[in-house]
Amino acid sequence: MGDKQAVEEAESTSGRDRLKRDFEILSVEKLAKSFGGLRAVSDFDLELKAGELVGLIGPNGAGKTTVFNLLTGFYKPTSGVIRFAGYDVHGMPPHRITEYGMARTFQNIRLFGDMTVEDNVKVGFHHRTCYGIADALLRRRAFRDSEAEVAQKTGELLDLFSLADKRGEPARSLPYGEQRRLEIARAMAAGPRLLLLDEPVAGMNRSESRDLMALLRRLRVEFDLTMLLIEHDIKFVMDICERIVVLDGGEIIASGSPAEICSNPAVIEAYLGSGGSTPGGGGMNASR
Amino acid sequence: MDFAVHHVTYVCILLMLTGGLSLIHGRTGLLSIGHAGFWAVGAYTAGFVINRLAPDLLAADATAGSRLLSVAAFAAAVVCAMLAASLCGLLVGVPCLRLRGDYLAIATLGFSEIIRVVIVNAESLGGAAGMRVPAVVCVGDTRRFVFAGIAAAGAAFSLLMVRNLLSSTHGRALISIREDEVASQLLGVNVTRYKVVSFVFGAALAGLAGAVYAAYMGYLAPREFGFMKSVELLLMVVLGGIGSLTGTVLATVALYIIPEALRFAEWSVPVWSLTDAGWRRGSVELAELWMVVYAIILIVMMLLRPQGLLGSWEISRLWKKPNQRPDATG
Ligand SMILES: Nc1ncnc2c1ncn2[C@@H]1O[C@H](COP(=O)(O)OP(=O)(O)OP(=O)(O)O)[C@@H](O)[C@H]1O
Ligand SMILES: [Mg+2]
């Protein structure tokens, strides 16, 4: 009987998984953003299925970070539709969108520098903590229970990210690589279904970035995550992503599997060919 | 002795004010130089309520009933003062949310000046001449001690509330706003709401301080609630350490006691001034030079220890183990 139950359970999970895989967690149509006269992003379409790991690449100034800022609600789009987890999140304030299950890291690390490592992660849990201000002031049961739970989950996350022994230190005192890891841990605390990573391995050496890649793979499985990541390190992107979207001059110039992208002449001209490291290099020229 | 009790009462009233301000400025990072405005709102609301409910209930032939009534009037005054002040916190907080740094400071300053001008021009509030507040709770020799007790309880309550708020997820949200507003809102913190919460909370405590002050002093003058008071309160918060409640308490006590002690000691320092007849030696009381000393302390602090006296150190660290792990069983 136990066996039968287990089989049934396995079947239903795989069924759910299939459902989840097909589920379109993010769908973006004709997204555009202009700053004054500058069209930073235009005609941007993107569909992410639950569980996918997609890379967003492009030369400097291509509009990648702007796409993240639009998705998270930090910028209001000039036009376009963003549907996330079945909701139209267009025009919602960022904190609401986070509640629906989107979290991100930043290109230039934005930790809460004077707060401890532990408290940084705890802020990520904030919107999932459901006791009120009065509960906190009166130290009611809801406060104590919830805080104990947050402390425990924070401990788990810190262990997972190998930051447990730094928990009491101010975030600004961490070395660079650990700050990057802490930022991801903090984003994970927000309980995302979609994680946006803006250049997660920028400034890391080979072994650090290999470790991070393993960690991201693990997160993806353990937390059922969908990931969209921006990265300049082509090797990293090719290794980890299943699908790559190439942006140039604010528009998508190619998208497909790593192999397809590698051999796409437009991509080679706009991005790979330029060496990829000169700021505002090939991309800008190609777009004109 | 009499004086000592008075000073304790006054310091406790200041603690309610700086406790709230340390939330607004120290934690949320909102620069407010109008905190005395909230205090004034609390004090005048309380004064008004007491005047209405308990005009001279405690004359020489007060009965037990009227004594009780005067206590009730004081309680009502406290509640009204806190409500009125937090309403002002809301009124200031909401429109000022889009302002940052210097602009917010100017807006809060403007608010406190508006309050002062309204009071000076309102006859029902006594105008520039000030407002008399009838004695409540008790009269006579024990009054000093009773009010010292009330003020101490108020200060303890305020600091406890601030501490409880800060060590919760709401407090962490407030601090994260100070650290990085953008990251904070992208992590799910409703920045707008928490800025208002911070203002309302700080203002409510200032209202409490105002009510205790009004009932204790028995007389309110608009000039007490001026710009310099706000600056003084802000300096106490900044000097003690932006992230430390312990520091705020110490700095409040120190910055109150030092000038009082100087005045008491009547020390004077020699000064030389150039007159028609050449250099002449005179003397100035040290207490009068306090503002100069104040400025020097501040400049030295900003150079040597910009994070304030205690930075973010809290006295609770003495009995809490560092790196405390909730699951440290194995
Ligand atoms: N807030 C803003 N105001 C004005 N222009 C902006 C703003 N944000 C981005 N831009 C412009 O939009 C364009 C795209 O910028 P974005 O930061 O998205 O590029 P990116 O692809 O992330 O580049 P990088 O690889 O250097 O991070 C740039 O030309 C940039 O100057
Ligand atoms: Mg970028």
Side-chain angles (χ1 to χ4, degrees):
Chain A
M1 192 199 124
D3 272 354
K4 199 179 158 205
Q5 215 172 5
V7 169
E8 262 172 23
E9 237 169 59
E11 266 173 13
S12 71
T13 358
S14 72
R16 216 185 314 136
D17 268 354
R18 219 174 317 117
L19 263 180
K20 254 191 219 148
R21 298 265 158 214
D22 288 338
F23 177 58
E24 220 160 61
I25 190 158
L26 180 76
S27 106
V28 180
E29 273 169 47
K30 299 242 180 303
L31 193 64
K33 176 74 185 174
S34 316
F35 297 105
L38 177 81
R39 292 171 70 90
V41 172
S42 57
D43 218 9
F44 182 86
D45 293 316
L46 180 69
E47 286 186 355
L48 290 185
K49 298 219 187 324
E52 265 192 312
L53 205 170
V54 175
L56 184 61
I57 64 172
N60 292 107
K64 305 178 297 291
T65 301
T66 306
V67 167
F68 272 23
N69 285 334
L70 290 168
L71 294 180
T72 51
F74 186 62
Y75 290 161
K76 303 278 167 273
T78 310
S79 66
V81 182
I82 305 171
R83 290 183 69 78
F84 174 59
Y87 299 94
D88 183 2
V89 296
H90 173 273
M92 273 188 194
H95 66 93
R96 289 295 307 283
I97 296 178
T98 306
E99 283 167 22
Y100 284 120
M102 197 190 296
R104 71 174 285 182
T105 64
F106 300 87
Q107 183 169 358
N108 319 303
I109 303 177
R110 306 191 79 133
L111 288 169
F112 306 126
D114 276 342
M115 296 174 82
T116 61
V117 166
E118 189 173 17
D119 280 352
N120 266 271
V121 175
K122 282 183 175 175
V123 173
F125 282 108
H126 171 75
H127 73 93
R128 299 199 276 166
T129 313
C130 48
Y131 63 84
I133 291 177
D135 294 324
L137 294 182
L138 304 175
R139 305 262 125 159
R140 288 211 194 105
R141 190 175 186 87
F143 163 82
R144 278 176 282 132
D145 291 351
S146 180
E147 278 297 305
E149 196 190 332
V150 167
Q152 194 221 334
K153 284 186 183 162
T154 301
E156 286 168 14
L157 268 181
L158 290 178
D159 283 337
L160 185 62
F161 283 82
S162 326
L163 289 167
D165 49 336
K166 304 275 176 102
R167 63 172 53 213
E169 289 179 25
R172 73 166 78 260
S173 73
L174 296 186
Y176 184 80
E178 290 185 353
Q179 292 200 7
R180 283 241 172 252
R181 276 217 303 278
L182 176 56
E183 230 197 359
I184 302 176
R186 187 182 68 174
M188 287 307 297
R193 289 198 267 177
L194 172 63
L195 182 62
L196 307 175
L197 298 163
D198 199 343
E199 307 201 11
V201 296
M204 283 190 177
N205 61 35
R206 272 273 155 238
S207 85
E208 278 177 324
S209 77
R210 216 175 311 117
D211 290 347
L212 190 72
M213 198 185 302
L215 183 60
L216 291 181
R217 287 209 170 102
R218 192 173 155 198
L219 287 180
R220 192 182 160 204
V221 176
E222 277 185 28
F223 294 86
D224 250 328
L225 270 184
T226 313
M227 289 193 206
L228 180 63
L229 70 90
I230 296 174
E231 191 46 72
H232 275 298
D233 183 339
I234 289 299
K235 191 176 164 339
F236 181 86
V237 178
M238 296 288 169
D239 276 356
I240 197 172
C241 297
E242 298 156 345
R243 189 153 67 88
I244 295 174
V245 175
V246 188
L247 207 60
D248 186 18
E251 289 178 42
I252 295 179
I253 57 164
S255 95
S257 71
E260 283 166 9
I261 294 299
C262 270
S263 56
N264 185 317
V267 178
I268 293 170
E269 190 202 338
Y271 186 70
L272 301 172
S274 76
S277 56
T278 38
M284 298 302 254
N285 297 332
S287 66
R288 266 163 215 160
Chain B
M1 182 63 200
D2 284 9
F3 253 35
V5 178
H6 167 76
H7 290 321
V8 167
T9 313
Y10 200 88
V11 164
C12 287
I13 291 171
L14 285 178
L15 282 177
M16 296 179 225
L17 291 165
T18 51
L21 189 59
S22 87
L23 198 69
I24 297 175
H25 180 63
R27 305 312 168 115
T28 321
L30 303 168
L31 184 53
S32 161
I33 47 175
H35 207 59
F38 298 124
W39 187 28
V41 170
Y44 273 89
T45 308
F48 187 77
V49 169
I50 293 173
N51 267 311
R52 276 297 159 91
L53 294 182
D56 296 313
L57 273 178
L58 295 182
D61 53 348
T63 62
S66 64
R67 261 193 218 109
L68 199 66
L69 216 62
S70 84
V71 173
F74 176 61
V78 167
V79 172
C80 292
M82 288 179 79
L83 284 179
S86 37
L87 190 69
C88 286
L90 194 68
L91 287 179
V92 179
V94 172
C96 292
L97 287 171
R98 300 202 169 273
L99 307 176
R100 51 191 69 231
D102 321 350
Y103 299 104
L104 180 65
I106 290 167
T108 52
L109 169 63
F111 156 77
S112 71
E113 282 303 294
I114 290 171
I115 294 292
R116 211 176 51 81
V117 170
V118 166
I119 291 170
V120 167
N121 289 295
E123 250 166 54
S124 59
L125 297 177
M131 177 195 237
R132 205 184 71 85
V133 183
V136 282
V137 182
C138 66
V139 284
D141 289 344
T142 53
R143 182 180 162 80
R144 283 197 314 277
F145 296 97
V146 170
F147 269 92
I150 291 174
F157 169 79
S158 304
L159 294 174
L160 186 72
M161 289 297 113
V162 171
R163 190 207 70 152
N164 283 1
L165 184 69
L166 285 178
S167 59
S168 74
T169 193
H170 306 293
R172 290 191 294 266
L174 292 176
I175 300 170
S176 77
I177 295 174
R178 176 193 74 198
E179 293 291 305
D180 190 326
E181 197 174 321
V182 170
S184 177
Q185 67 181 18
L186 286 166
L187 271 179
V189 174
N190 186 342
V191 170
T192 319
R193 171 168 177 252
Y194 276 100
K195 282 183 176 176
V196 176
V197 163
S198 176
F199 255 112
V200 170
F201 206 91
L205 295 182
L208 175 64
V212 175
Y213 179 81
Y216 169 64
M217 298 299 274
Y219 171 74
L220 300 173
R223 66 175 175 282
E224 283 296 311
F225 305 97
F227 166 62
M228 275 320 287
K229 200 82 206 177
S230 297
V231 172
E232 224 175 273
L233 295 172
L234 191 64
L235 290 182
M236 288 167 174
V237 171
V238 172
L239 210 63
I242 282 293
S244 167
L245 205 55
T246 313
T248 302
V249 172
L250 290 182
T252 305
V253 175
L255 289 185
Y256 175 75
I257 286 184
I258 295 172
E260 289 298 324
L262 290 181
R263 207 167 297 150
F264 182 75
E266 291 180 353
W267 283 327
S268 52
V269 285
V271 288
W272 284 267
S273 53
L274 189 58
T275 63
D276 291 344
W279 286 99
R280 278 195 48 187
R281 186 174 190 274
S283 73
V284 167
E285 285 217 354
L286 206 52
E288 295 191 12
L289 281 179
W290 169 236
M291 285 318 279
V292 179
V293 179
Y294 218 155
I296 293 171
I297 293 177
L298 268 177
I299 292 169
V300 172
M301 276 288 293
M302 287 306 135
L303 290 176
L304 298 183
R305 220 180 139 70
Q307 71 273 46
L309 219 52
L310 296 189
S312 59
W313 188 86
E314 291 291 359
I315 195 161
S316 59
R317 293 218 190 145
L318 294 180
W319 55 85
K320 262 191 205 150
K321 266 183 257 149
N323 289 354
Q324 214 172 26
R325 301 204 44 171
D327 51 347
T329 43

